[in-house]
Amino acid sequence: MKKQISVAVLTNETGAHLSAYFSALKEIDAVKEVFLSDPSHQQLELARRELGSKLSEVYDKPDVLLQNEHPDLALITMEARQAPQAINLALEHGCHVLSEKPACLSVEQFEPLVQKAESKHLDLSLSLANRTNPEIQFAKSLIHAGTLGKIYGVEMTLLADQTRLTNPAYHKSWYAQKDHAGGGFLSWLGIHWLDLSMYITESSITDVSGFTALVGDQPISVEDAAALSFRYEAGFLGTLTAGYFMNRGYQSLIKIWGSKGWLEMVPFEKRHLEWTLNHNGKKFRFEKPVEPRGYTPAVRKAVQAAAGNGDPLLTSRESLRIIRTIYAFYEAAKSGRAQKISQA
């Protein structure tokens, strides 16, 4: 019988994606029981409804939960300003950590947590759930096998709705405040595409430059638009256009060119993956199922890793890599100078 583990959910009134997380924990057989820490009690009804009998105990204080229950994995979802303290507490109590991004306000906050995780042989993974999508896994395998040849360049677009930013409730939320969130569109949504580009190509971003703007004129202190250019460790270049530009919905693109062909993903238009070889114009399409995707397979991967049955969703160093990339870009935009990213 495969090992089952216990999971602590550390959250509060600022927790994001909790319905998806609770639903995932309920579905995953390897999760034996779930403990909840929510000082606000605002997530309690949702937890009871989604988790059912798997919700074993509820605590007001995370330190008391961790001392009493000794969970194997801590799933942490709260605003970026509050997350480092919760992550540190979980690591101190010997828990692997899966944390909602961006999980910090700076590299200086996050790097010591990675060092602590590594010293304790624990995983610290950011919850970048798109990694587990079937078309992403297939694209990664194409490039790893050399099917596209030498990689020449990457172009990405990720756009969401400006409509959410016009809501007065959003203006008061932590997502809209730089001292609570660390950043705006890039640290909340753009982070996914930047991580995927490095994950699929197996090459880290080493240099970044670009601009941020507040194009929608809303009373918020974070960017709603960003334009990036960057260099990868393998020598090729990339770009990302990102922002809250839409009335509703999303637009997106990930396109990667190589010496033997190119691939293109447009998931929100249901063109999950197409590619061509030898630049002959003939297109191949990913025809396999695009499910499961999203949070359940991502959380399952974190649970299996905590149970000793596989690799984590992100290694601690991969989590640090994307945090360094995001905050290097913010510094580049602020200073007007390209930034080099430490690979140590």
Side-chain angles (χ1 to χ4, degrees), residues 279-325:
H279 302 285
N280 59 12
K282 181 181 178 181
K283 287 185 179 179
F284 300 90
R285 176 169 287 190
F286 183 70
E287 301 288 359
K288 297 180 181 179
V290 296
E291 299 288 344
R293 61 197 299 109
Y295 284 95
T296 295
V299 174
R300 179 177 285 110
K301 192 166 180 63
V303 167
Q304 290 171 340
N309 295 323
D311 296 326
L313 181 63
L314 279 78
T315 67
S316 301
R317 282 285 146 179
E318 287 175 325
S319 296
L320 178 58
R321 177 178 71 174
I322 189 60
I323 291 298
R324 282 174 169 166
T325 303

Side-chain angles (χ1 to χ4, degrees), residues 6-277:
S6 60
V7 179
V9 177
L10 309 183
T11 190
N12 54 29
E13 70 280 1
T14 69
H17 300 140
L18 275 164
S19 181
Y21 286 130
F22 288 148
S23 177
L25 293 170
K26 175 68 179 297
E27 182 177 330
I28 297 167
D29 291 337
V31 176
K32 180 180 180 181
E33 56 187 347
V34 179
F35 306 103
L36 174 67
S37 170
D38 174 24
S40 72
H41 285 211
Q42 291 188 25
Q43 313 297 352
L44 184 54
E45 182 179 350
L46 176 65
R48 285 174 173 161
R49 184 171 67 248
E50 295 287 345
L51 288 166
S53 61
K54 272 197 178 180
L55 181 59
S56 184
E57 194 65 64
V58 179
Y59 290 84
D60 289 337
K61 296 182 178 180
D63 56 337
V64 177
L65 185 162
L66 294 166
Q67 288 168 8
N68 289 354
E69 307 296 352
H70 308 289
D72 302 282
L73 173 68
L75 196 163
I76 297 171
T77 174
M78 55 186 64
E79 66 181 63
R81 183 182 65 167
Q82 299 170 333
Q85 183 177 359
I87 294 171
N88 184 66
L89 188 63
L91 293 172
E92 282 290 338
H93 284 83
C95 293
H96 298 285
V97 173
L98 176 66
S99 178
E100 185 60 58
K101 80 299 182 192
C104 63
L105 299 178
S106 67
V107 175
E108 289 71 26
Q109 285 184 338
F110 198 76
E111 189 165 13
L113 299 174
V114 169
Q115 293 170 348
K116 177 171 286 190
E118 290 180 335
S119 72
K120 291 176 173 289
H121 305 288
L122 297 168
D123 301 322
L124 170 49
S125 300
L126 292 179
S127 187
L128 298 175
N130 292 285
R131 279 188 171 210
T132 60
N133 292 353
E135 74 277 8
I136 296 298
Q137 291 295 313
F138 189 81
K140 180 178 174 64
S141 71
L142 283 178
I143 291 176
H144 181 77
T147 305
L148 298 187
K150 178 181 173 63
I151 301 303
Y152 287 163
V154 175
E155 178 187 356
M156 296 183 288
T157 302
L158 182 58
L159 307 177
D161 61 292
Q162 174 75 203
T163 308
R164 75 181 75 181
L165 274 60
T166 64
N167 188 329
Y170 191 91
H171 301 160
K172 298 176 183 178
S173 71
W174 69 271
Y175 308 102
Q177 303 171 49
K178 189 173 180 63
D179 58 348
H180 288 249
F185 188 98
L186 185 62
S187 62
W188 184 244
L189 293 177
I191 188 172
H192 287 286
W193 262 222
L194 287 171
D195 175 66
L196 287 180
S197 76
M198 293 188 283
Y199 178 65
I200 293 170
T201 65
E202 300 179 341
S203 186
S204 298
I205 293 172
T206 60
D207 302 83
V208 296
S209 63
F211 302 92
T212 60
L214 188 55
V215 297
D217 299 322
Q218 295 301 316
I220 61 177
S221 59
V222 296
E223 86 282 354
D224 65 357
L228 295 73
S229 58
F230 29 87
R231 184 192 309 274
Y232 292 82
E233 190 172 24
F236 56 91
L237 306 178
T239 63
L240 171 64
T241 299
Y244 294 110
F245 295 170
M246 310 291 292
N247 180 42
R248 63 176 61 87
Y250 291 85
Q251 285 186 8
S252 71
L253 169 73
I254 299 176
K255 192 161 187 175
I256 301 174
W257 288 272
S259 60
K260 296 180 181 178
W262 52 262
L263 66 79
E264 181 176 87
M265 290 180 276
V266 193
F268 294 106
E269 295 181 13
K270 306 302 182 185
R271 286 193 287 124
H272 290 281
L273 173 60
E274 295 179 341
W275 69 99
T276 184
L277 302 178

